[in-house]
């Protein structure tokens, strides 16, 4: 990089443009009033923007100037997208940027807050996902339920389970129905970061999406980017099989099925919190009902208009991730860091983006802090960037979601 602002990170400009859904360098150039070749040089690292141009970039893309001077939070492991082939490139890039920002938020908060230790055992024992049989996936789902002491009955809040075992979970509106969720392992933290969609959301869908991403975290931790590209259908099928086995254990769910009709499956939906459609697929996978019977059920299902919305979908609140939300509140309410400090020293993205990703109320950062909560603080470790040495770390215990 020959001239311009020292320390400028080109990848951060690419990330910010994706986060704002600016589709091309030409479009960004028009917004800035510069030539497309200037933006191209900035993004490719051939030249860094001058100070005035950097200020304008920050203004247009709604980030702090320091955003472009900090490293990208990426991972050598691939990101698991749903429906990768049919998804628009700009939607995938937007989602990628949001996952990176989720990594960054988590990284900042863990300087102050002790997150739960990661509790995902190595269930493959060195084997490859490609060696897994369906019965292996069924066994793994059951073993993990036992390991996490979930019992064999309905698991009605998978999001709470994810956070309890040390996964970082965020949720955001994706702006497309083709992206349900995404999972990425953090390089710096070595824990899964899961971003769930809120588009057209209901409880059964949230349950299945969360369990699906848990399946990727468990089964596909070491899958390469090439394997993901080459074998995506099988990798997705395995994650769905795991999610179904996790939510509907064969030994307990199947004996409760009163009959193989839509009415019978609907009667189980209230207890198991799983959609009727997912139940039909589960029974087919277990070879309990033949495919032709399932096809007839799907036809009747469609005729009833259940593809748009099943009965009971709107009756339950959708569980939201709590860990990052509660961690931020602890940091501020304890007086460890003020909201102003967090925005001016730690975070480089817009406060609205942080609020959105961690389920804080809109405008939370601009509202006056309430009464200070008395907490016991550990003496800290020094920081590499941001907080000065001698800060504090809050021992964090997440509330169990009901």
């Amino acid at each position: 990089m020959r001239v311009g602002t020292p320390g400028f990170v080109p990848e951060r400009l690419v990330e910010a443009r994706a986060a704002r859904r600016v589709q091309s360098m030409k479009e960004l150039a028009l917004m800035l009033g510069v030539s497309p070749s200037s933006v191209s040089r900035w993004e490719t690292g051939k030249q860094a923007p001058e100070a005035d141009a950097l200020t304008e970039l920050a203004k247009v893309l709604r980030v702090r100037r320091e955003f472009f001077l900090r490293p990208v939070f990426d991972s050598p492991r691939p990101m698991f997208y749903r429906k990768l082939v049919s998804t628009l490139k700009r939607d995938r890039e937007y989602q990628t940027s949001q996952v990176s920002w989720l990594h960054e938020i988590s990284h900042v908060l863990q300087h102050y807050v002790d997150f739960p230790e990661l509790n995902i055992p190595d269930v493959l024992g060195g084997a490859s996902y490609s060696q897994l049989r369906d019965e292996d996936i069924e066994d793994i789902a059951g073993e993990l339920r036992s390991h996490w002491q979930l019992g064999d009955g309905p698991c009605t809040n998978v999001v709470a389970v994810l956070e309890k075992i040390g996964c970082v979970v965020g949720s955001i509106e994706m702006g497309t129905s083709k992206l349900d969720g995404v999972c990425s392992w953090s390089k710096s933290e070595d824990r899964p970061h899961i971003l769930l969609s809120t588009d057209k959301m209901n409880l059964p869908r949230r349950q299945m999406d969360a369990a699906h991403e848990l399946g990727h975290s468990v089964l596909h931790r070491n899958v390469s980017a090439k394997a993901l590209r080459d074998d995506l259908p099988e990798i997705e099928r395995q994650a769905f099989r795991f999610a179904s086995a996790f939510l509907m254990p064969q030994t307990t769910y199947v004996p409760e099925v009163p009959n193989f009709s839509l009415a019978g499956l609907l009667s189980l939906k209230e207890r198991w919190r799983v959609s009727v459609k997912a139940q039909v697929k589960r029974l087919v996978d277990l070879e309990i009902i033949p495919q032709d019977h399932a096809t007839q059920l799907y036809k009747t299902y469609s005729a009833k208009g259940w593809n748009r919305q099943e009965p009971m979908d709107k009756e339950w609140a959708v569980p939201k991730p709590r860990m990052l939300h509660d961690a931020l509140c602890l940091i501020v309410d304890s007086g460890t860091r003020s909201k102003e400090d967090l925005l001016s020293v730690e975070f480089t993205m817009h406060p609205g983006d942080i609020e959105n990703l961690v389920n804080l109320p809109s405008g939370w950062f601009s509202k006056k802090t309430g009464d200070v909560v008395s907490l016991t603080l550990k003496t800290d470790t020094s920081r590499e960037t941001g907080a000065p040495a001698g800060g504090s770390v809050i021992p964090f215990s997440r509330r169990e979601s009901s």
Side-chain angles (χ1 to χ4, degrees):
M1 202 174 292
R2 295 191 297 273
V3 295
T5 306
F8 178 77
V9 180
E11 294 83 3
R12 289 290 261 179
L13 176 52
V14 176
E15 181 180 278
R17 181 162 63 81
R20 300 302 176 224
R21 297 186 188 269
V22 179
Q23 296 185 37
S24 67
M25 290 183 280
K26 181 179 179 180
E27 183 180 344
L28 179 58
L30 288 172
M31 296 168 68
L32 294 167
V34 301
S35 67
S37 61
S38 293
V39 177
S40 177
R41 288 194 295 271
W42 298 339
E43 289 201 3
T44 57
K46 294 179 180 178
Q47 183 177 336
E50 298 291 344
D52 289 347
L54 187 67
T55 298
E56 190 63 19
L57 273 174
K59 179 181 177 182
V60 167
L61 295 173
R62 303 195 304 281
V63 294
R64 285 174 52 212
R65 292 176 83 258
E66 291 80 3
F67 175 90
F68 300 105
L69 307 178
R70 293 191 183 178
V72 173
F73 280 77
D74 58 4
S75 172
R77 293 170 178 155
M79 197 171 295
F80 294 96
Y81 295 97
R82 305 275 290 276
K83 302 179 182 177
L84 183 61
V85 175
S86 63
T87 307
L88 292 175
K89 182 173 181 287
R90 67 171 179 268
D91 290 332
R92 295 200 306 271
E93 290 174 344
Y94 170 75
Q95 195 175 44
T96 299
S97 72
Q98 298 306 297
V99 173
S100 294
W101 288 6
L102 185 68
H103 281 284
E104 186 167 350
I105 293 168
S106 170
H107 180 77
V108 168
L109 296 184
Q110 287 185 76
H111 287 301
Y112 303 99
V113 175
D114 287 332
F115 285 5
E117 290 188 14
L118 184 65
N119 183 13
I120 299 181
D122 179 11
V123 295
L124 298 186
S128 167
Y129 77 93
S130 60
Q131 299 172 276
L132 290 173
R133 302 166 298 173
D134 286 343
E135 50 263 42
D136 296 326
I137 296 174
E138 295 281 334
D139 290 343
I140 288 170
E143 289 166 5
L144 288 176
R145 269 180 159 262
S146 177
H147 177 75
W148 294 325
Q149 300 180 345
L150 300 178
D152 295 323
C155 177
T156 58
N157 192 341
V158 181
V159 171
V161 173
L162 289 173
E163 294 190 318
K164 185 175 182 179
I165 64 174
C167 299
V168 173
V169 187
S171 62
I172 195 171
E173 185 174 348
M174 302 292 185
T176 173
S177 60
K178 294 183 178 180
L179 290 171
D180 299 314
V182 64
C183 174
S184 171
W185 277 81
S186 164
K187 178 170 63 176
S188 60
E189 301 169 32
D190 197 31
R191 68 171 75 226
H193 285 60
I194 294 171
L195 187 59
L196 300 172
S197 169
T198 60
D199 301 66
K200 300 179 179 178
M201 187 50 57
N202 56 63
L203 174 61
R205 181 173 173 179
R206 171 55 58 85
Q207 291 280 93
M208 185 59 71
D209 286 351
H212 185 105
E213 302 310 326
L214 175 60
H216 283 313
S217 300
V218 169
L219 303 177
H220 306 131
R221 178 174 182 171
N222 297 312
V223 169
S224 68
K226 183 180 184 302
L228 180 62
R229 288 193 304 269
D230 296 344
D231 208 13
L232 178 64
E234 174 60 15
I235 288 171
E236 282 294 292
R237 189 196 68 81
Q238 288 185 354
F240 184 82
R241 182 71 184 237
F242 174 90
S244 298
F246 189 80
L247 292 172
M248 295 171 279
Q250 182 176 2
T251 55
T252 48
Y253 162 76
V254 174
E256 291 189 17
V257 179
N259 57 69
F260 305 124
S261 67
L262 293 184
L265 300 182
L266 186 61
S267 69
L268 287 182
K269 180 176 179 177
E270 184 169 9
R271 169 168 156 75
W272 287 88
R273 300 295 202 267
V274 180
S275 72
V276 171
K277 193 171 187 177
Q279 292 183 65
V280 174
K281 182 67 167 61
R282 178 68 170 147
L283 294 174
V284 172
D285 287 344
L286 293 174
E287 299 182 352
I288 292 173
I289 62 174
Q291 185 59 57
D292 58 346
H293 180 61
T295 300
Q296 187 56 50
L297 288 176
Y298 288 139
K299 288 180 179 179
T300 306
Y301 180 96
S302 180
K304 289 177 175 288
W306 289 4
N307 279 322
R308 294 185 298 274
Q309 180 178 309
E310 287 188 13
M312 293 187 282
D313 277 352
K314 298 299 182 181
E315 293 184 10
W316 303 303
V318 178
K320 297 180 180 179
R322 295 291 308 179
M323 187 168 71
L324 298 181
H325 170 286
D326 291 353
L328 258 173
C329 290
L330 277 173
I331 292 168
V332 172
D333 290 345
S334 68
T336 302
R337 276 302 218 193
S338 69
K339 295 178 181 181
E340 294 76 14
D341 283 344
L342 290 171
L343 291 178
S344 63
V345 177
E346 295 286 15
F347 296 124
T348 59
M349 61 279 277
H350 190 277
D353 294 305
I354 303 167
E355 292 163 355
N356 201 16
L357 279 165
V358 306
N359 294 297
L360 286 164
S362 178
W364 181 84
F365 276 100
S366 61
K367 293 177 182 175
K368 184 178 178 181
T369 305
D371 296 334
V372 173
V373 178
S374 177
L375 297 174
T376 302
L377 303 177
K378 295 194 300 188
T379 55
D380 175 43
T381 65
S382 61
R383 295 287 318 279
E384 293 180 1
T385 61
S392 298
V393 176
I394 302 173
F396 180 71
S397 297
R398 183 187 56 75
R399 292 195 305 268
E400 291 293 330
S401 301
S402 58

